[in-house]
Structure formats: structure tokens, C-alpha cells
Amino acid sequence: MPELPEVETVRRALAPVVTGQQVTDVFVGRKDLRWPLPEALDSQLLGRHFAAPMRRGKYVLMPTDDGQILLIHLGMSGSIRIHEAKPELTRHDHIMVTVDAADGGHRYIVLNDPRRFGWVDLFAADDMATHKLLRDMGPEPLGNGFSAAHMQTVFANLKSPVKNALLDQRLIAGIGNIYACEALFKAGISPRRRAGSITAGRAEKLVHAIVTVLRAAIAEGGTSLRDHVQPGGEIGYFVQQLSVYGRAGLPCVTCATPIRTIVQSGRSSFYCSSCQR
Ligand SMILES: [Zn+2]
């Protein structure tokens, strides 16, 4: 499932392709993904120019020159591909936006989503602060509003495990299961520890760990874009170095204790019972 670094990689791939370019064609293959698609999405986008894309949490936000924002969430299985030649669309290619390109040709941006847990919205940029998906979202972990003090404040009265708190988008934006596991390992904090018991020292470590793992993953994503030789490959899915996630039973990279897994709120947590307290 795409988390902040994967979505940031998608944003960075889209930026040079769409910024300042005009939409010349829109294909919408169905009326809904997870939720109904916006009314007349195709005619609303046709002829518009895109401004530079942004990201908020796990959302890609693509502003248009008529004061709207196209929001894309990739859900569980969604992906974006960018083609230089018009592709044959396959069964799970639900949306294709064609834009002009600086070389006189076109670029074809395809949203593929086999499980259709993703969603797309188009709304007025003026409504961004009140948009139902964005208004309650916590600070960006790589932004200025994120700090150990913020973490301690929002975790203070929580009885839930710190792992669950990290996944709560209202507290911190963009962190999903993989990076929550990795950050807790790096900070030496058990995923089972009560969020409200995180001390200033642990909050400091955890904030540093979150920033470090996210930055490293974004760098991997950047590498994957540079090495992107296959035309039309899925953007935002890249191989990365993971210390605990997906390593149940394998030796801890630090102490060789077998990595354990437990289920918390329906999601698997991976951790070292020796390194993480
Ligand atoms: Zn260990």
C-alpha cells in the first residue's frame, strides 16, 4: 500500500510532466472507484492547465488553472503510469489524462487500480481547508509542524499502542504500516507501548526515526525514477531496505533475535522484542 514516500515519488514523477501543460483528452472508464468519481470529470479537466502538483499525507493534489484541485489517492493497489506513446488500456486502467508535452508530443497518465480502494476527487482549491479528507489531517512528518513536542501533545492521553497512534492520520499525516514498523524499530520502541507513555526522550527518538526512514525511502523512490528505463512502469513502487517489516522469524539486523509479528488493529506489526521496549 502506497505510503508517504511512494506518493511523494508519484508527485515527483508527475511534476515535470504536468506542470504548465494543458489537458487535451480525458478517459474515464467507470463511474466509481472506492467512491463515485466527480460528475463530468472528463469535461471538467479538458482544456485545463495543471500547476505544479503537491502532496498532503498520502494524497497527490494537482491544481488546475480554473481554481480546482484534482485529488488522487492510490488506496491499496492503485498505481500511476506515465507513457510517451498512447498505451493500450487494460481492464484495471480506470482513468487516463492526456497532456501536451514540451517536445510537441503528448504524455499519457494512467491510473490503474485492480482492487479499486483508491479514489479521485475534484474540488475548489478554496475548499481545501474544509475538505472532508484533508481538514482533520495531522502535520506533515517532514514539515515544520512536526516535532517531539507535537507528538507528546497528541499522544498524551492515548491508551492505544504507539503503533496505532502512528497510523492515525489525524495525529500525523502519511505514515502507514511499513514506515510505522520501521520507525519504531529505529527508535527502539515497542509497537505495543502505550502512546500516552512516550516520554520526551522517546518522542525525540521516534520523531528522528520517522524523518530518517521517510527521507531514506523518498531517496530510494528518486533512485527508482532515475533508473526507470521501462516505459510505462508503475511509479511509486520501489525496492527498499527494510529492517523489520516483512521479516517475521528472520534475525534482527542488530541483535539476531528472531523478528516477531503481532496483529494490531488488523495490521501486522513486525518488531524485535529485544531491541524495542
Ligand atoms: Zn534486535
Side-chain angles (χ1 to χ4, degrees):
M1 179 170 177
E3 301 182 27
L4 187 156
E6 290 78 18
V7 177
E8 177 61 19
T9 301
V10 170
R11 186 196 70 77
R12 289 180 182 195
L14 286 171
V17 172
V18 303
T19 305
Q21 301 297 343
Q22 186 171 29
V23 177
T24 60
D25 192 31
V26 182
F27 163 82
V28 179
R30 26 180 325 120
K31 289 192 181 331
D32 63 330
L33 292 173
R34 181 168 179 173
W35 293 318
L37 291 169
E39 284 286 317
L41 179 64
D42 46 359
S43 60
Q44 291 209 70
L45 286 178
L46 193 64
R48 303 271 56 94
H49 287 77
F50 283 117
M54 307 178 289
R55 180 189 54 74
R56 181 76 172 100
K58 301 176 193 172
Y59 299 109
V60 176
L61 303 172
M62 299 171 68
T64 64
D65 60 354
D66 65 342
Q68 300 208 83
I69 291 181
L70 177 67
L71 174 153
I72 300 171
H73 188 277
L74 296 172
M76 306 286 287
S77 59
S79 65
I80 298 270
R81 303 191 315 269
I82 300 170
H83 300 266
E84 295 194 358
K86 191 170 187 176
E88 280 296 321
L89 294 185
T90 60
R91 187 168 154 227
H92 300 298
D93 293 337
H94 305 305
I95 296 175
M96 180 166 77
V97 176
T98 308
V99 293
D100 277 333
D103 60 10
H106 294 92
R107 297 294 180 271
Y108 305 85
I109 301 155
V110 177
L111 173 66
N112 178 284
D113 191 353
R115 295 175 67 185
R116 301 204 307 272
F117 280 110
W119 58 85
V120 169
D121 196 11
L122 187 68
F123 60 93
D126 289 344
D127 296 340
M128 200 157 136
T130 55
H131 190 280
K132 64 181 188 295
L133 298 173
L134 303 172
R135 66 185 172 208
D136 298 324
M137 200 179 282
E140 287 292 323
L142 300 178
N144 293 332
F146 183 58
S147 64
H150 168 81
M151 180 178 279
Q152 272 212 290
T153 304
V154 296
F155 283 10
N157 297 312
L158 296 182
K159 293 189 171 63
S160 54
V162 60
K163 165 75 185 317
N164 296 11
L166 288 179
L167 297 183
D168 187 339
Q169 302 296 300
R170 295 168 301 180
L171 307 180
I172 308 165
I175 301 175
N177 205 30
I178 295 175
Y179 300 105
C181 291
E182 292 295 308
L184 286 167
F185 175 74
K186 195 169 189 60
I189 297 172
S190 167
R192 309 166 75 158
R193 174 174 283 279
R194 204 160 52 82
S197 79
I198 297 288
T199 57
R202 282 200 161 98
E204 214 46 82
K205 276 188 188 155
L206 185 49
V207 164
H208 181 258
I210 289 167
V211 170
T212 305
V213 298
L214 292 178
R215 286 212 174 121
I218 289 170
E220 291 287 344
T223 304
S224 79
L225 284 182
R226 274 196 301 282
D227 298 347
H228 206 70
V229 287
Q230 280 177 298
E234 289 165 348
I235 296 159
Y237 293 85
F238 44 85
V239 180
Q240 50 189 312
Q241 301 296 321
L242 298 175
S243 299
V244 282
Y245 185 84
R247 301 193 72 241
L250 295 172
C252 168
V253 294
T254 304
C255 74
T257 301
I259 297 299
R260 283 198 195 174
T261 179
I262 48 166
V263 175
Q264 296 179 291
S265 290
R267 321 281 295 275
S268 291
S269 296
F270 298 86
Y271 67 106
C272 174
S273 58
S274 170
C275 292
Q276 293 175 253
R277 294 300 166 108

